Amino acid sequence: MKLLSLVIALSCFLVGCTSSEGEDLEKRIDELIEQMTLEEKVIQMAGDGGIFFPEGETAWNVPGLERLGIPPFRMADGPRGVTTIRGATTFPVGVARGATWEPEVERRVGAAMGRELRSFGGNVLLAPTINILRHPRWGRAQESYGEDVHHMSRMGVDFVRGVQEYVLANPKHYAANSIENTRFEVDVTMNERTLREIYLPHFRAAVLEGGAASVMSAYNSVNGQFCGENEHLLKQILKTEWGFDGFVLSDWIFGTHSTLGSALNGLDLEMPIASVYGNQLLAAVNRGDVPESVIDDAVRRMVRKKLQYNLDQPSDIDESVLGSDEHLALAREAAVKGSVLLKNESGALPVDPSGVARIAVVGLLADMENTGDNGSSDTNPAFVVTALQGIEEAVGDAVTVDHIGKDILAAEDIATIEAADVVIVVTGLTAEDEGEGLIAAGDRADLSLSDERVKLIQDAADANERTIVVLEGGSAITTGDWLSNVEALLMVWYPGQMGGHAIADLLFGDANPSGKLPVTFPTGLDQLPPFENEPPPGNEQPKVTYDYFHGYRYLDRNDSTPEFPFGFGLSYTTFSVDNLRASQAEATADDIVRFSVDVTNTGSTTGAEVVQLYVTYPGSAVERSDRELKGFAKVVLEPGATQTVEIAVPVNDLAYYDVAEAAWGLEHEILVGTSSRDLPLATVLTVRAERPVSMY
Ligand code: BGC
């Protein structure tokens, strides 16, 4: 650290620095690069396999250059908490946090992870995962925020901002990485409009709005070029069109394919070890196949971020932040806010503990530490509060809790369930059902629960009509076989290490559910586009084509009625949303139009509602989605209270990717409500444009 500061001070003295930004910064980097040999530069362009942190845990190391005081990168995964270090906080998975619809919570979660990583010397968090959940069978659906582009952008941007208060963030996997079983080889083809409108906007937002310092390329190829050497994605779009001034690193091990392809097309850093870089890259430069300016550009990008983020400074955060009370409270808050109440009949929930004597808590998952995938996002929390533990602690000694910790019920279990005042079945999916490809469970086989777990729910519900299901899993689960048998259904995803407390908070009414689905729950696979994750025979490269439609866009287009629509979620109270008005009825491309509605809590409990704004495109010249989410806001209201909620929509967000002027001058109908299928309010916005405008 001191050496780098000295070098900087000296350079500043020589070139007359006044600030660490802009031109001065670039001059300093010039000076540093000038002092490096080619070998020293190339060494900084690949990981060296790993380093040992003080606690004896590993993280990924990328050498800096000690001679010039340039610090190394030290990277750890972080989609649900900083990985590999015992005691770091395990938050609910990404999809659960997506279900909060609260970017502000996500910013705090990002900051907590950044703080924890920084506390033990890490400086790059390998998160957020912002791949579109194209199909709920995707094994890593849980890591991402959901199926919608706008929603993904809002959550991802705030996570990045939070992380980067302390360390560098690394949005991944760029791009179109939505299959596990063939992830290393699959070629994803799509037209330019689909790429620009569905698979890239959230990366663009993470870079341009979030200021992400780095981006990880995906394993798969897009339109015939692997993402780690995809000129269109890396050079043209990310670095040139978006003006990204950070660095691109490859996904691990199988993420690079050729020295020249990677170096010439914009990959700055190969991880976790040199396989196509290192000596091969050095030789390529010496042969004249790779200009040294390419190497300089890559090193410049990395040194730039090291300087901008003061990575040479020792951390002033000590390790007491790992799993601190504050972070655990945040994990609990996120789990509460991300749980989605999908059904609640006959006032089943909340349960008043003083009104019951016996509660049966049923299912193998009830006392399981079920925090998510065993792949790269796996964490090592100091403890996990299971659903059973949370329930027992919440009800105390006054209520008898009968724990039936299995999925196949015996006659005596049925008798126990019959005798209970209320039955809570905790079930769903685990890391055995879904996860990362190759190193964990991979893609899901289907969307339903196992026959055994369906029967568990049915048997419990047959024995006792006050049956409530707490459902765990990483994305949509079909419920048609058993939904009508149960009184209430609470989707809690993988709710993190404080999940059991969060579940109890919601079941007993200490908190009011306010989560909304960030992914459509279909009635079955036949409502969704195909999911092709089988490798073809022989050595052929697997191929899939992504068309424009998936998720609610796909169901809307086919007039299919989902089990639970995107954006849906119940509360213990009720709301009305009235009086939609717009700041203007006509707009041009550069305007930001402000829409307002009045939200009233019409029930008797304090609660939060997510107002959602969708845009439709009647009479559009090109095929568009029936409706698209373009804004949302969550508001907390006491009983009887009314609040005006404003949602700002930049008109440019309504464009489609095409230079045809037909996109403009159309009337856009704006719909507002509380889920993608409950949009009672409408107004028309007329967009005028003299010129054809495209999205970017
Ligand atoms: C995953 C990345 C992860 C990396 C390092 C890869 O297999 O795809 O998301 O960051 O491993 O653990």
Side-chain angles (χ1 to χ4, degrees):
M1 164 254 160
K2 295 208 174 63
L3 189 52
L4 179 62
S5 304
L6 268 179
V7 173
I8 293 168
L10 187 63
S11 327
C12 285
F13 176 75
L14 292 173
V15 297
C17 290
T18 49
S19 87
S20 64
E21 290 305 314
E23 279 177 24
D24 293 338
L25 177 71
E26 298 306 319
K27 274 188 202 151
R28 276 195 266 153
I29 301 170
D30 283 343
E31 296 234 337
L32 288 167
I33 291 178
E34 258 167 41
Q35 297 174 60
M36 296 176 195
T37 65
L38 177 62
E39 285 79 359
E40 285 173 333
K41 289 186 255 188
V42 167
I43 283 173
Q44 295 175 62
M45 290 177 65
D48 67 6
I51 100 149
F52 291 94
F53 279 124
E55 300 293 317
E57 308 277 357
T58 49
W60 310 101
N61 189 63
V62 183
L65 184 54
E66 225 181 323
R67 185 170 74 76
L68 295 180
I70 296 175
F73 284 129
R74 288 173 174 175
M75 305 182 171
D77 282 293
R80 69 174 189 255
V82 180
T83 54
T84 77
I85 297 298
R86 178 156 292 280
T89 308
T90 295
F91 290 91
V93 290
V95 73
R97 302 190 326 259
T100 65
W101 294 62
E102 278 191 71
E104 188 274 330
V105 172
E106 198 52 9
R107 191 196 55 71
R108 285 188 280 133
V109 170
M113 287 191 206
R115 209 178 288 133
E116 293 197 357
L117 180 60
R118 182 78 171 155
S119 77
F120 58 84
N123 53 29
V124 181
L125 188 76
L126 302 172
T129 300
I130 49 169
N131 293 116
I132 287 288
L133 200 167
R134 179 173 169 87
H135 195 290
R137 279 183 58 202
W138 176 37
R140 291 176 87 173
Q142 61 186 274
E143 281 183 45
S144 198
Y145 295 116
E147 72 184 35
D148 180 74
V149 181
H150 176 81
H151 172 266
M152 179 85 78
S153 301
R154 296 328 336 135
M155 303 307 288
V157 163
D158 272 51
F159 182 85
V160 167
R161 286 181 178 152
V163 170
Q164 294 197 160
E165 288 171 25
Y166 299 93
V167 295
L168 314 191
N170 181 239
K172 63 187 188 185
H173 312 81
Y174 181 73
N177 178 168
S178 304
I179 296 176
E180 284 311 294
N181 293 4
T182 51
R183 66 173 169 157
F184 300 119
E185 314 92 31
V186 65
D187 183 40
V188 184
T189 54
M190 63 180 88
N191 64 32
E192 192 65 14
R193 202 182 140 209
T194 303
L195 178 69
R196 300 279 187 155
E197 288 185 36
I198 307 292
Y199 293 94
L200 295 191
H202 37 288
F203 281 101
R204 179 175 181 267
V207 165
L208 290 184
E209 288 179 57
S214 70
V215 167
M216 185 190 295
S217 58
Y219 284 125
N220 52 281
S221 68
V222 169
N223 292 333
Q225 260 191 328
F226 280 105
C227 290
E229 52 183 56
N230 191 307
E231 186 186 6
H232 188 50
L233 287 176
L234 301 182
K235 268 179 96 170
Q236 289 173 2
I237 297 180
L238 177 63
K239 291 185 173 177
T240 306
E241 285 183 34
W242 299 349
F244 175 60
D245 73 345
F247 57 99
V248 179
L249 56 110
S250 72
D251 202 346
W252 265 233
I253 302 187
F254 301 116
T256 51
H257 296 265
S258 71
T259 304
L260 298 193
S262 307
L264 296 177
N265 290 330
L267 183 79
D268 303 303
L269 172 57
E270 183 181 24
M271 290 303 293
I273 44 167
S275 116
V276 302
Y277 280 4
N279 287 338
Q280 295 193 54
L281 182 56
L282 197 58
V285 180
N286 286 330
R287 274 197 316 270
D289 289 343
V290 173
E292 193 161 345
S293 59
V294 166
I295 307 296
D296 288 350
D297 180 61
V299 172
R300 167 180 301 280
R301 288 168 177 276
M302 292 187 276
V303 173
R304 179 184 288 138
K305 293 303 158 186
K306 287 176 179 179
L307 295 183
Q308 280 176 342
Y309 286 83
N310 301 317
L311 298 193
D312 59 319
Q313 309 290 323
S315 168
D316 53 0
I317 300 162
D318 73 52
E319 291 182 23
S320 62
V321 298
L322 292 165
S324 66
D325 288 350
E326 185 195 336
H327 292 182
L328 292 177
L330 178 58
R332 181 172 180 163
E333 178 187 346
V336 165
K337 291 179 165 175
S339 295
V340 187
L341 182 63
L342 294 174
K343 177 175 179 179
N344 191 17
E345 276 177 6
S346 318
L349 288 175
V351 173
D352 176 0
S354 65
V356 292
R358 295 196 90 89
I359 299 180
V361 179
V362 184
L364 193 63
L365 272 54
D367 201 27
M368 183 187 277
E369 298 188 357
N370 197 21
T371 56
D373 180 23
N374 285 340
S376 61
S377 64
D378 199 5
T379 48
N380 292 300
F383 63 89
V384 175
V385 181
T386 66
L388 177 73
Q389 290 165 1
I391 291 168
E392 281 179 337
E393 198 178 308
V395 298
D397 294 337
V399 178
T400 304
V401 175
D402 294 311
H403 175 217
I404 304 170
K406 50 185 156 174
D407 285 347
I408 300 175
L409 301 175
E412 67 267 23
D413 302 322
I414 298 288
T416 307
I417 289 172
E418 279 170 352
D421 297 308
V422 59
V423 181
I424 297 164
V425 179
V426 184
T427 191
L429 307 175
T430 70
E432 285 182 12
D433 302 300
E434 56 184 344
E436 198 165 332
L438 193 67
I439 57 172
D443 297 315
R444 278 164 69 187
D446 55 38
L447 296 187
S448 56
L449 294 179
S450 66
D451 292 348
E452 209 167 88
R453 290 190 178 150
V454 168
K455 186 165 173 352
L456 168 77
I457 298 172
Q458 287 167 340
D459 287 350
D462 284 350
N464 192 321
E465 64 181 17
R466 279 205 76 184
T467 293
I468 293 157
V469 173
V470 172
L471 194 59
E472 300 182 342
S475 74
I477 295 171
T478 48
T479 56
D481 302 342
W482 48 267
L483 185 65
S484 60
N485 305 29
V486 304
E487 285 197 336
L489 170 59
L490 183 67
M491 181 71 198
V492 301
W493 319 99
Y494 296 112
Q497 75 177 106
M498 298 296 277
H501 286 318
I503 290 167
D505 290 343
L506 292 163
L507 292 178
F508 301 114
D510 295 321
N512 189 349
S514 64
K516 299 274 183 171
L517 292 180
V519 51
T520 302
F521 274 41
T523 55
L525 283 169
D526 56 352
Q527 288 193 327
L528 300 178
F531 184 70
E532 295 156 305
N533 67 340
E534 294 289 330
N539 285 334
E540 256 176 74
Q541 186 182 17
K543 290 186 189 309
V544 294
T545 299
Y546 285 179
D547 66 8
Y548 190 76
F549 296 92
H550 75 282
Y552 69 84
R553 294 165 160 83
Y554 188 88
L555 274 83
D556 286 347
R557 182 169 175 242
N558 295 337
D559 279 331
S560 308
T561 305
E563 192 73 73
F564 300 110
F566 175 83
F568 176 78
L570 300 167
S571 164
Y572 296 152
T573 188
T574 48
F575 299 93
S576 68
V577 182
D578 308 289
N579 196 16
L580 172 63
R581 57 242 187 238
S583 57
Q584 56 203 88
E586 291 195 358
T588 62
D590 301 324
D591 289 344
I592 295 178
V593 183
R594 290 166 202 289
F595 297 92
S596 317
V597 287
D598 300 331
V599 188
T600 305
N601 182 342
T602 51
S604 51
T605 314
T606 297
E609 180 58 290
V610 180
V611 179
Q612 301 165 41
L613 182 148
Y614 294 77
V615 179
T616 72
Y617 310 95
S620 174
V622 295
E623 187 175 23
R624 302 197 69 161
S625 306
D626 278 9
R627 72 199 75 182
E628 286 180 328
L629 182 74
K630 292 292 179 187
F632 60 88
K634 195 165 184 177
V635 58
V636 183
L637 291 169
E638 292 186 357
T642 299
Q643 198 173 308
T644 299
V645 173
E646 190 181 272
I647 298 176
V649 179
V651 172
N652 213 22
D653 275 4
L654 311 183
Y656 66 90
Y657 186 77
D658 199 303
V659 286
E661 61 192 317
W664 298 91
L666 293 177
E667 285 186 332
H668 295 69
E669 196 181 8
I670 308 292
L671 302 175
V672 174
T674 57
S675 94
S676 63
R677 291 286 175 114
D678 179 14
L679 299 167
L681 306 178
T683 186
V684 168
L685 174 72
T686 304
V687 178
R688 285 181 282 101
E690 319 268 279
R691 58 192 160 97
V693 187
S694 65
M695 201 154 146
Y696 307 135

